[in-house]
């Protein structure tokens, strides 16, 4: 009998077809033939030899050829195939060899088929082993498993619950977060199991919303409650988007559920606060209102219904009740209202508003800005009061002050004239007491004159009768003249005027601006008894002239800075109680500057002094 290249005797189909034998020897698959039930190795191709190395396998039983496979079921499988005549299969067999004959040992995976082979009479002679290389498939499956594990790890680490449903609405995937919320394994939520964890009162809404979305293939969004494993109720916001197969067929939804319990609690708290606010606002006797960032009114309490036409106030074509403001006040009020919105400032306005009966009454309206967490303007909230009676009483008071001041002015003028005459007559007297007494009387008369003048000015301001005689003048001259006048009566203080280069031309009332300067200077002298220095400085910008009057006195506390120019306001404190006055001088000065379209403000450090500023619009350079 002839032998083949492996040293085996020629038999079977190898004896009849050398071409077939040649093809088998070159096949990339693993191939071997075992004879009899003992599995005596009759033939194996070169690829099969690579798996087992250079060991001697020919004409040996399988147990002697591959002893390392003992106990793994391979031998029993071959015996079963021989006995039954039925093929068996083995998958993903891992083998290592120098497959490319390049010295590099790598691994490969094979799927094995164990099939009986028969002689011409149909008698089983042995078992054929064929191994097909499935390395690519195994690697792809491993990569897929790794990706699946990575996907599971990522989704399980997510703080939100992730889910997928198929086209029929059956849950096919949920991550660990959803299972942790409910305290049930993932499998309990698959199919329609997830519905059981939705609170009963929300189930119909959740399901109907999903059905509407799947009918139209639109994004899905719904809020609902679930029962947690700890017995607490949790709000979740479910969002989902339709997904499609590569061929465009609708495959279901993929989405997430976010824990919004804190948000829902915040919303409920906000709603409760709004309800409480409305209850309080509606029970308040004052006019309470709110406006949005567009300045239009969004809320009015019930007090408005007794005061004015609410439907008109909430109309879309007006804001700040503009259609009810007296025409004489409207422009000024709306200008100030818009200005407050523009700068996000508090405001207080007094104006006349039309009531239900058609009459006009005075209201005092205050508004404060409402700001979001990020600082953006959400609108305004404010309150108003009917101040008609207060206005009437104030008018009576102003009339009285005006009349009394006017009546006092005549005798004071006479007293001042006689005092001046006596001072002139006894200027050379050696009677020190007389001379000192006359000087003291003169100072007190001057002080009383300024006080009466301030009272008269307040009366004129309140009644709108304060007139200003504008003229073009050099502020430098007014400063020098006024400082010189005040210096005569302030022997204990040295007023230093630093005169910058250039002329400061303004359009103003000379006497009124001098009055402002006198008020600021006397205020600086009055509140700096331990200092002998007051400094005056003037400078010009492109649009205005700025005058600063600095003292080194007791200073002003931060909480009093914004109130110092208010009418009749006096700073309270141990040191301040030693200084007399009604708190009207700075108010008058500030009003005069405001009526000149200028600005007033103060900077101060307690114990170190203050700097009072005022500005006036400047004439163009060279005028």
């Amino acid at each position: 009998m002839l032998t083949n290249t492996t040293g085996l005797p020629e038999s079977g189909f190898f004896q009849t077809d050398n071409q077939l034998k040649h093809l088998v020897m070159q096949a990339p698959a693993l191939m071997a033939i075992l004879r009899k039930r003992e599995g005596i190795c009759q033939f194996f191709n070169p690829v099969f030899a690579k798996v087992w190395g250079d060991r001697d396998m020919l004409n040996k039983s399988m147990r002697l050829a591959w002893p390392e496979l003992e106990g793994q079921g391979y031998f029993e499988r071959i015996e079963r195939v021989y006995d039954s005549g039925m093929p068996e299969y083995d998958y993903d067999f891992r083998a290592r060899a120098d497959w490319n004959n390049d010295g590099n040992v790598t691994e490969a995976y094979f799927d094995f088929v164990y099939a009986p082979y028969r002689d011409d009479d149909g008698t089983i002679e042995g078992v054929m082993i064929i191994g097909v290389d499935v390395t690519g498939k195994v690697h792809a499956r491993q990569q897929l498993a790794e990706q699946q594990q990575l996907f599971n790890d990522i989704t399980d680490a997510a703080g939100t619950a992730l889910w997928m449903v198929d086209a029929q609405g059956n849950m096919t995937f949920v991550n660990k977060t959803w299972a942790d919320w409910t305290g049930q394994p993932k499998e309990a939520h698959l199919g329609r199991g997830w519905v059981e964890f939705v609170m009963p009162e929300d189930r119909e809404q959740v399901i109907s919303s999903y059905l509407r979305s799947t009918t139209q293939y639109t994004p899905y969004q719904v809020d609902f409650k679930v029962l947690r494993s700890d017995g607490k109720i949790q709000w979740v916001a479910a969002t989902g988007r339709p997904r499609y197969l590569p061929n465009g067929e609708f495959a279901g939804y993929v989405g997430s559920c976010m824990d919004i319990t804190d948000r829902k609690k915040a919303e409920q708290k906000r709603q409760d606060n709004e309800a409480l606010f409305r209850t309080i606002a509606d029970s308040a006797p004052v006019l309470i209102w709110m406006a949005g960032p567009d300045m239009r009114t969004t809320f009015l309490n019930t007090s408005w219904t007794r005061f004015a036409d609410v439907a008109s106030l909430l109309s879309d074509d007006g804001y700040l009740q503009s259609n009810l403001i007296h025409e004489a006040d409207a422009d000024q009020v709306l200008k100030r209202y818009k200005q407050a919105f523009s700068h996000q400032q508090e405001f207080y306005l007094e104006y006349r508003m039309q009531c239900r009966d058609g009459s006009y009454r005075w209201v005092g309206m205050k508004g404060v800005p409402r700001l979001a967490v990020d600082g953006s303007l959400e609108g305004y909230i404010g309150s108003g009061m009917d101040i008609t009676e207060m206005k009437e009483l104030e008018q009576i008071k102003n009339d009285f002050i005006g009349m009394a001041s006017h009546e006092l002015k005549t005798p004071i003028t006479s007293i001042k004239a006689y005092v001046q005459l006596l001072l002139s007559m006894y200027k050379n007297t050696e009677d020190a007491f007389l001379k000192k007494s006359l000087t003291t009387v003169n100072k007190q008369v001057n002080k009383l004159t300024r006080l009466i003048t301030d009272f008269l000015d307040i009366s004129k301001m309140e009644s709108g009768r304060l007139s200003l005689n504008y003229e073009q003048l050099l502020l430098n001259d007014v400063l020098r003249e006024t400082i010189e006048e005040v210096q005569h009566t302030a022997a204990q203080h040295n007023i230093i005027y630093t005169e910058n280069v250039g002329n400061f031309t303004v359009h103003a009332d000379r006497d009124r601006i001098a009055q402002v300067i006198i008020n600021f200077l006397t205020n600086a002298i009055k509140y700096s008894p331990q200092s002998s220095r007051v400094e005056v400085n003037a400078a010009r910008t492109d649009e205005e002239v700025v005058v600063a009057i600095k003292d080194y006195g007791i200073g002003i506390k931060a909480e009093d800075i914004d109130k110092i120019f208010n009418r009749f306001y006096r700073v309270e404190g141990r040191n301040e109680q030693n200084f007399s006055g009604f708190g009207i001088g700075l108010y008058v000065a500030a009003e005069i500057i405001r009526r000149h379209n200028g600005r007033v403000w103060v900077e101060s450090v307690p114990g170190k002094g203050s700097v009072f500023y005022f500005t006036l619009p400047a004439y163009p350079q060279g005028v």
Side-chain angles (χ1 to χ4, degrees), residues 369-569:
R370 295 185 296 116
L371 302 179
V373 177
D374 60 2
S376 61
L377 182 67
E378 290 188 337
Y380 267 68
I381 183 171
S383 62
M385 291 184 63
D386 185 341
I387 60 171
T388 305
E389 286 74 15
M390 184 181 74
K391 277 288 195 180
E392 292 172 351
L393 290 173
E394 192 173 280
Q395 186 61 48
I396 294 172
K397 179 198 67 178
N398 289 335
D399 291 343
F400 171 77
I401 291 174
M403 179 186 66
S405 300
H406 182 76
E407 293 298 324
L408 287 171
K409 198 168 186 180
T410 300
I412 290 296
T413 302
S414 298
I415 294 172
K416 183 174 178 62
Y418 278 110
V419 171
Q420 292 288 338
L421 178 60
L422 289 172
L423 281 171
S424 176
M425 292 174 57
Y426 294 102
K427 64 180 179 179
N428 297 321
T429 182
E430 296 181 0
D431 189 340
F433 175 77
L434 176 61
K435 193 171 184 179
K436 182 179 179 180
S437 298
L438 288 173
T439 301
T440 301
V441 171
N442 187 54
K443 286 183 179 179
Q444 295 302 317
V445 169
N446 288 337
K447 183 177 179 180
L448 186 57
T449 300
R450 284 197 300 272
L451 184 60
I452 292 173
T453 300
D454 287 342
F455 275 126
L456 281 172
D457 287 341
I458 289 178
S459 177
K460 291 176 182 178
M461 289 174 184
E462 297 295 334
S463 61
R465 293 183 288 108
L466 181 68
S467 61
L468 298 176
N469 300 313
Y470 288 96
E471 61 177 301
Q472 185 176 323
L473 54 88
L474 288 176
L475 188 59
N476 316 56
D477 295 341
V478 179
L479 282 167
R480 281 193 297 270
E481 294 169 5
T482 308
I483 291 171
E484 184 178 349
E485 177 185 342
V486 175
Q487 184 69 80
H488 286 312
T489 61
Q492 303 300 320
H493 288 77
N494 186 23
I495 304 174
I496 301 172
Y497 174 37
T498 302
E499 189 167 358
N500 293 318
V501 178
N503 294 325
F504 307 137
T505 306
V506 296
H507 190 64
D509 185 317
R510 187 184 193 92
D511 292 337
R512 292 299 181 183
I513 297 303
Q515 182 180 350
V516 171
I517 298 170
I518 291 173
N519 266 325
F520 279 12
L521 286 173
T522 54
N523 189 75
I525 293 168
K526 176 180 178 180
Y527 288 100
S528 55
Q530 304 302 320
S531 172
S532 61
R533 183 183 180 92
V534 174
E535 299 173 3
V536 180
N537 182 272
R540 175 179 177 140
T541 66
D542 291 339
E543 298 180 351
E544 59 186 5
V545 177
V546 183
V547 176
I549 297 175
K550 181 177 182 179
D551 66 65
Y552 296 87
I554 64 174
I556 305 168
K557 291 180 288 188
E559 58 267 28
D560 295 316
I561 290 288
D562 294 335
K563 307 171 186 175
I564 202 71
F565 294 105
N566 291 351
R567 183 178 56 174
F568 301 126
Y569 183 79

Side-chain angles (χ1 to χ4, degrees), residues 108-155:
Y109 292 87
F110 294 86
D111 284 351
F112 280 104
V113 179
Y114 304 89
Y117 75 89
R118 305 171 187 271
D119 60 14
D120 294 339
D121 296 331
T123 302
I124 296 176
E125 289 190 359
V127 176
M128 293 186 296
I129 302 176
I130 302 174
V132 179
D133 187 350
V134 293
T135 304
K137 182 179 71 174
V138 171
H139 285 171
R141 190 164 59 246
Q142 289 174 343
Q143 290 178 353
L144 180 62
E146 291 173 357
Q147 291 174 355
Q148 182 64 42
Q149 185 59 48
L150 178 61
F151 171 78
N152 289 338
D153 290 343
I154 292 174
T155 56

